[in-house]
Amino acid sequence: KILAVEDDPCARELLAIIFKREDYDVIESRMVPKCCLGWAGKFDLILLDLGLPTMTATRLCGASKQIPAAFVF
């Protein structure tokens, strides 16, 4: 299961399309607060936008040790 966090709807949709074509279950979120609630152990990969308007991805990664794998773009 993959979590894609991206505030740009076109980029978020493109990520989802790419991974869904490879049969991954993709959860999309445009903001960090929505996706932060209870994510520990729920995702195999988290794709984070580096410049989110509400919270930067680098700050989020530093605040959570529970992320199994994160790719910041």
Side-chain angles (χ1 to χ4, degrees):
K1 188 182 254 187
I2 297 173
L3 173 62
V5 184
E6 169 60 67
D7 59 323
D8 180 289
C10 294
R12 189 174 60 245
E13 183 178 352
L14 180 60
L15 287 170
I17 289 169
I18 290 168
F19 285 100
K20 286 178 180 178
R21 280 188 185 165
E22 299 299 321
D23 291 325
Y24 287 99
D25 184 18
V26 179
I27 305 298
E28 300 173 55
S29 180
R30 66 179 183 85
M31 298 174 61
V32 172
K34 178 182 174 185
C35 73
C36 280
L37 303 173
W39 67 357
K42 292 186 177 181
F43 300 101
D44 300 306
L45 178 65
I46 299 171
L47 302 169
L48 296 170
D49 178 356
L50 187 58
L52 292 168
T54 56
M55 177 184 283
T56 65
T58 51
R59 186 172 143 208
L60 177 62
C61 288
S64 177
K65 304 290 185 204
Q66 301 172 341
I67 302 173
F71 175 71
V72 181
F73 58 96

